[in-house]
């Protein structure tokens, strides 16, 4: 096929004709009328003297889910192609994915349709192929994705926002563009009529495009992209949102699973534990054997009763809502992509935990669900079950304001409560503005803490800089947790792959752990530790331990705030737990056989807790002229109360997880 001609390649060339079509569609009543209007539009566009042709994919771009790079004018000839310009952090892009999944289930490449994701990054972290791979897995993207790291296609077509869909005809000719989310009906209408129009002309081919799914090469793991973690302060159990396995795990502090609820596949079903399902759950909060879950991609708030062993829905209707006010009873109130939840207390000051605060990422707001009748700041008495907006206009902004409804958030993704004076606020990880904000529990005022910049419309003020207030820079933070013991706030600075700490009194923000490297160093000091897009964190063991959902490493990491060491929480079965997800099979460890003359050294007693790292040094004084044979393991073993044996090889420094 010939290369595209000289006709202008930007999307603006489609605007006059498509605008006329969309005005005409507003007046159409029947489906037949709509189909006819789109068919006539295609006759007009297809009859242009010269195609409005899409540029070829530049050579050297990185591809996912394909056997080899794809060419528009070699591989896609005879196909209706949808280019999805997206960036994986964007909630609007995430909202579009179910529409694309539904379209792929309706039409395949044999029918003449192919979807290609054109990843055009907002953040520097999103330009890295390994990070895009993780997002492709997280969101179950099974069509080809190209990493347009320099946004060359974006710029050549003059794309202006995420997401943007461009529908191509079988010659690489641009037919339609759809900007933003919420256009499912138009997407299906335009695609179906384009397939019919070009099939009528014999221009659709049914040959297959070589697809090779990256997810097929993944090793099994006990956790898959865990998004959030919280701790039951009474029992010290952890609740983990095992997001990629679509389930909630309740584990003892040694990592032994007590309950596994949902998974391994996505779904939306209430009932007993063995029947219940979730869809990419994120935030979790536990109190009195009740867990509340932000069931993100179901657009629901779910309730798990550990005593009754049942799951129910307390807010949302199961489809994405657009309401930015709320006020209905929870089960009748549509909501949009809740990302985190935390307990709070109403203005009565009598009950505790009678409000569930919700980070409503989909509408860029903070909402409240009344778990009992009570009052919110500047609100009248509200009845139990009411679900409504508390702060945020719904505009995607970094706008602080004394009036909560005039403030603006940008995809709030993490919440933590500091109920005591002088703080009395919710801390918010506002991911797309790369800031941490606070919302007063007394009057709802929204204030800046760290990150971002003063211009409320600038959502590109990100970086990795320790500093004070606005001089500190973060990159898409997803989690926060309040340390009441030290009056400090810990931040999962997700795209910088670090854990940072903020003193809200001075607004000083510094790096606590993480080098910024994504290599998985599993047991080390804070200064040597690594994370990969950590999504959530919580304080446990009376302020001694910080648990981190290290999302892209598929782990829960334990940071000991006293010893400054990092370890990994092992996740393992118990006989009574129902576990749906895959687990790594470990080889059975056996005791080494040592000669009777082998020395035995008794160490002083040490008191430890689950997840704590013991560090010891082993020095060998060999006879003069002796050496250890290179490549041959020299074994040691350690006996400890409650542990049969631990094996290893000699190193200068050893780390033992007990």
């Amino acid at each position: 096929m010939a290369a595209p001609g000289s006709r202008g390649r930007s999307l603006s060339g489609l605007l006059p004709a498509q605008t006329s079509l969309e005005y005409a569609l507003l007046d159409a009543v029947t489906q037949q009328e709509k189909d006819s209007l789109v068919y006539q539009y295609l006759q007009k566009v297809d009859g242009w003297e010269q195609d409005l042709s899409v540029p070829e994919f530049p050579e050297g771009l990185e591809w996912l889910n394909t056997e080899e790079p794809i060419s528009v004018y070699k591989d896609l000839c005879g196909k209706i192609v949808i280019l999805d310009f997206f960036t994986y952090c964007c909630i609007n892009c995430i909202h579009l994915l179910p529409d694309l999944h539904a379209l792929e289930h309706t039409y395949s490449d044999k029918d003449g349709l192919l979807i290609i994701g054109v990843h055009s990054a907002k953040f520097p972290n999103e330009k890295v192929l390994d990070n895009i791979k993780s997002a492709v897995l997280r969101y179950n993207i099974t069509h080809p994705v190209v990493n347009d790291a320099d946004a060359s296609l974006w710029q050549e077509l003059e794309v202006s926002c995420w997401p943007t869909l461009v529908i191509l005809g079988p010659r690489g000719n641009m037919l339609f563009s759809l900007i933003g989310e919420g256009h499912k009906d138009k997407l299906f209408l335009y695609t179906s009529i384009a397939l019919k129009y070009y099939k009528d002309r014999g221009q659709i081919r049914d040959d297959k495009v070589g697809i090779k799914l990256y997810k097929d090469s993944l090793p099994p793991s006990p956790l898959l992209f865990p998004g959030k973690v919280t701790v039951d302060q009474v029992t010290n159990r952890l609740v983990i949102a095992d997001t990629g396995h679509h389930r909630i795990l309740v584990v003892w502090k040694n990592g032994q699973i007590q309950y596994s609820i949902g998974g391994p596949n996505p779904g939306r079903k209430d009932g007993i534990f063995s029947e219940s399902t979730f869809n990419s759950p994120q935030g979790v909060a536990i109190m009195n054997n009740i867990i509340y879950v932000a069931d993100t991609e179901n657009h629901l708030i779910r309730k798990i009763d550990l005593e009754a062993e049942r799951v129910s829905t307390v807010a949302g209707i199961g489809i994405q809502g657009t309401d930015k006010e709320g006020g209905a009873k929870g089960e009748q109130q549509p909501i949009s992509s809740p990302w985190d939840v935390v307990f709070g207390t109403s203005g009565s000051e009598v009950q505790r935990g009678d409000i569930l605060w919700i980070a409503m990422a989909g509408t860029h707001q903070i909402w409240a669900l009344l778990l009992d009748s009570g009052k919110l700041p500047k609100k009248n008495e509200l009845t139990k079950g009411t679900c409504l907006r508390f702060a945020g206009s719904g505009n995607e902004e970094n706008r602080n304001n004394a009036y909560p409804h005039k403030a603006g958030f940008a995809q709030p993704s993490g919440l933590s409560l500091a109920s005591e004076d002088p703080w009395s606020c919710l801390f918010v990880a506002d991911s797309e503005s790369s800031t941490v904000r606070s919302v007063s529990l007394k009057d709802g005022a929204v204030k800046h803490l760290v990150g971002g910049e003063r211009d409320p419309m600038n959502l590109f003020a990100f970086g990795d800089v320790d500093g004070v207030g606005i001089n500190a820079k973060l990159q898409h933070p997803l989690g926060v947790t309040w340390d009441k013991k030290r009056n400090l706030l810990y931040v999962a600075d997700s795209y910088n792959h670090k854990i940072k700490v903020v003193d809200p009194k001075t607004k000083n923000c510094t790096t606590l752990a993480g080098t910024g490297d994504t290599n998985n160093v599993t047991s080390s000091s804070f200064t040597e530790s690594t994370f990969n897009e950590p999504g959530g964190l919580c304080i446990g063991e009376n302020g001694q331990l910080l648990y981190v959902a290290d999302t892209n490493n598929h782990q829960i990491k334990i940071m000991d705030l006293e010893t400054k060491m990092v370890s990994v929480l092992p996740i393992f079965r118990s006989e009574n737990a129902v576990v749906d997800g895959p687990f790594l099979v470990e080889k059975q460890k056996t005791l080494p056989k040592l000669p009777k003359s082998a020395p035995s050294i008794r160490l002083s007693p040490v008191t430890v807790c689950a997840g704590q790292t013991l560090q010891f040094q082993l020095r060998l004084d060999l006879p003069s002229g002796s050496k250890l044979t290179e490549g041959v393991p020299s074994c040691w073993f350690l006996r400890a109360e409650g542990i049969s044996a631990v094996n290893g090889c000699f190193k200068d420094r050893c780390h033992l997880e007990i």
Side-chain angles (χ1 to χ4, degrees):
M1 182 178 292
S6 59
R7 184 180 173 94
R9 293 175 173 179
S10 76
L11 295 180
S12 59
L14 284 174
L15 189 60
Q18 189 174 334
T19 301
S20 297
L21 168 66
E22 292 182 351
Y23 275 119
L25 286 171
L26 292 175
D27 296 327
V29 177
T30 68
Q31 188 62 49
Q32 185 177 0
E33 288 177 315
K34 294 177 182 179
D35 292 352
S36 178
L37 285 169
V38 176
Y39 202 92
Q40 292 169 27
Y41 166 86
L42 288 171
Q43 288 177 318
K44 177 181 178 180
V45 172
D46 199 45
W48 284 343
E49 184 176 339
Q50 193 169 37
D51 286 341
L52 187 61
S53 300
V54 73
E56 179 62 274
F57 294 117
E59 290 187 9
L61 294 185
E62 300 166 310
W63 286 82
L64 295 172
N65 287 343
T66 62
E67 294 176 349
E68 57 186 7
I70 290 175
S71 164
V72 173
Y73 296 100
K74 293 179 182 177
D75 305 307
L76 303 182
C77 176
K79 302 289 186 189
I80 299 299
V81 178
I82 298 175
L83 301 180
D84 173 23
F85 287 85
F86 77 110
T87 184
Y88 72 77
C89 70
C90 168
I91 193 67
N92 310 97
C93 300
I94 295 169
H95 287 164
L96 183 61
L97 289 175
D99 296 350
L100 297 179
H101 289 325
L103 194 63
E104 287 174 306
H105 281 113
T106 305
Y107 305 105
S108 69
D109 55 353
K110 294 221 26 113
D111 298 313
L113 176 71
L114 185 69
I115 299 173
I116 295 179
V118 184
H119 191 270
S120 308
K122 171 183 176 179
F123 293 98
N125 180 68
E126 294 178 308
K127 296 181 180 182
V128 180
L129 186 66
D130 281 344
N131 299 336
I132 301 172
K133 284 181 181 178
S134 294
V136 165
L137 293 170
R138 266 202 313 272
Y139 299 123
N140 193 31
I141 297 173
T142 55
H143 51 253
V145 173
V146 61
N147 181 14
D148 188 20
D150 296 326
S152 56
L153 280 171
W154 172 285
Q155 293 169 5
E156 196 158 358
L157 291 179
E158 297 181 2
V159 177
S160 60
C161 76
W162 298 282
T164 292
L165 298 180
V166 180
I167 303 178
L168 308 180
R171 303 185 300 272
N173 49 319
M174 291 190 280
L175 304 176
F176 307 93
S177 69
L178 293 169
I179 298 174
E181 59 172 295
H183 303 298
K184 183 178 180 180
D185 290 344
K186 284 184 182 177
L187 174 63
F188 272 73
L189 174 63
Y190 294 167
T191 302
S192 63
I193 301 303
L195 284 168
K196 174 177 170 48
Y197 176 86
Y198 285 106
K199 278 181 180 177
D200 290 347
R201 283 152 181 76
Q203 296 182 32
I204 295 297
R205 289 165 41 179
D206 63 359
D207 54 312
K208 293 185 71 66
V209 176
I211 301 294
K212 183 179 180 181
L213 296 183
Y214 172 64
K215 70 177 183 179
D216 292 342
S217 62
L218 268 183
S221 171
L223 299 175
L224 188 64
F225 300 109
K228 301 289 184 184
V229 60
T230 194
V231 65
D232 181 354
Q233 299 295 345
V234 176
T235 64
N236 284 323
R237 291 176 299 180
L238 294 176
V239 182
I240 301 167
D242 189 9
T243 308
H245 285 142
H246 308 285
R247 66 180 178 177
I248 302 299
L249 295 181
V250 181
V251 305
W252 299 107
K253 62 182 182 180
N254 65 350
Q256 182 179 8
I257 296 174
Q258 183 187 19
Y259 297 105
S260 175
I261 310 155
N265 299 313
R268 177 200 164 196
K269 188 174 183 181
D270 291 336
I272 60 175
F273 283 1
S274 60
E275 296 177 351
S276 300
T277 53
F278 301 87
N279 192 348
S280 298
Q282 288 283 346
V284 283
I286 182 170
M287 184 182 292
N288 299 328
N289 274 325
I290 299 293
I291 301 170
Y292 288 93
V293 180
D295 192 6
T296 305
E297 294 194 18
N298 275 328
H299 309 287
L300 299 173
I301 301 297
R302 312 288 289 283
K303 175 183 175 182
I304 300 174
D305 188 324
L306 294 179
E307 292 182 357
E309 297 192 358
R310 295 191 68 86
V311 176
S312 57
T313 297
V314 293
I317 60 173
I319 59 175
Q320 181 191 342
T322 57
D323 184 0
K324 296 182 180 180
E325 295 291 338
K329 290 290 185 181
E331 307 93 306
Q332 287 121 30
Q333 176 61 57
I335 60 176
S336 179
S337 296
W339 211 274
D340 203 7
V341 289
V342 66
F343 287 109
T345 300
S346 69
S348 65
E349 298 296 338
V350 176
Q351 299 165 308
R352 305 295 297 175
D354 58 350
I355 292 176
L356 190 72
W357 298 109
I358 306 168
M360 203 70 75
T363 56
H364 314 291
Q365 295 172 313
I366 307 301
W367 281 48
L369 174 66
L370 276 292
L371 304 179
D372 205 340
S373 298
K375 292 182 67 175
L376 297 178
K378 297 185 176 180
K379 292 280 187 182
N380 296 325
E381 187 77 15
L382 297 167
T383 59
K384 179 180 178 180
T386 304
C387 186
L388 75 168
R389 177 265 302 258
F390 176 58
S393 64
N395 297 325
E396 189 174 8
E397 299 174 332
N398 175 24
R399 189 178 299 278
N400 302 297
N401 201 293
Y403 297 94
H405 290 185
K406 293 184 178 181
F409 295 92
Q411 208 170 308
S413 302
L415 294 176
S416 190
L417 181 76
S419 58
E420 66 275 15
D421 287 329
W423 318 113
S424 188
C425 70
L426 279 171
F427 289 109
V428 182
D430 198 38
S431 62
E432 282 292 282
S433 68
S434 295
T435 63
V436 175
R437 326 268 287 282
S438 67
V439 183
S440 171
L441 296 176
K442 295 181 178 179
D443 57 15
V446 178
K447 298 179 181 178
H448 171 269
L449 188 59
V450 295
E453 69 148 61
R454 289 183 175 84
D455 180 359
M457 304 304 293
N458 183 2
L459 302 182
F460 288 79
F462 50 78
D464 184 9
V465 181
D466 290 352
V468 176
I470 214 163
N471 294 318
K473 290 293 180 278
L474 309 170
Q475 189 182 176
H476 199 74
L478 289 173
V480 284
T481 191
W482 176 244
D483 184 348
K484 185 177 180 180
K485 178 179 177 181
R486 300 173 181 85
N487 284 337
L488 295 173
L489 184 73
Y490 300 105
V491 181
D493 191 4
S494 304
Y495 283 7
N496 284 324
H497 315 291
K498 294 181 177 180
I499 305 302
K500 294 186 176 178
V501 58
V502 178
D503 182 343
K505 186 175 181 180
T506 63
K507 293 191 173 184
N508 189 41
C509 176
T510 57
T511 299
L512 179 68
T515 63
D517 191 346
T518 57
N519 291 331
N520 190 19
V521 178
T522 57
S523 186
S524 62
S525 66
F526 281 13
T527 56
E528 299 170 338
S529 60
T530 61
F531 302 89
N532 193 338
E533 293 192 13
L537 66 181
C538 67
I539 287 281
E541 294 289 335
N542 296 317
Q544 180 181 344
L545 302 181
L546 183 64
Y547 295 96
V548 179
D550 193 7
T551 303
N552 284 1
N553 279 327
H554 316 294
Q555 295 171 335
I556 301 299
K557 284 185 175 163
I558 305 169
M559 297 173 57
D560 191 313
L561 297 171
E562 295 180 2
T563 66
K564 309 298 182 186
M565 296 298 294
V566 181
S567 59
V568 175
L569 179 71
I571 304 295
F572 59 95
R573 294 181 175 96
S574 69
E575 292 181 1
N576 298 325
V578 177
V579 180
D580 297 306
F583 276 74
L584 291 173
V585 178
E586 297 184 359
K587 293 182 178 179
Q588 186 66 34
K589 294 175 180 177
T590 57
L591 286 170
K593 293 183 179 180
L594 300 179
K596 294 181 180 180
S597 60
S600 177
I601 301 172
R602 181 175 294 275
L603 302 176
S604 301
V606 178
T607 302
V608 297
C609 62
Q612 184 175 344
T613 299
L614 292 184
Q615 185 183 59
F616 62 92
Q617 291 181 323
L618 183 64
R619 191 182 74 182
L620 296 179
D621 293 320
L622 300 176
S624 178
S626 301
K627 65 176 183 179
L628 294 174
T629 303
E630 186 174 351
V632 177
S634 301
C635 293
W636 55 269
F637 75 92
L638 177 73
R639 292 187 185 275
E641 183 179 348
I643 297 178
S644 57
V646 180
N647 302 338
C649 297
F650 285 129
K651 295 181 181 178
D652 291 334
R653 175 172 288 185
C654 301
H655 300 284
L656 171 64
E657 291 177 17
I658 295 185

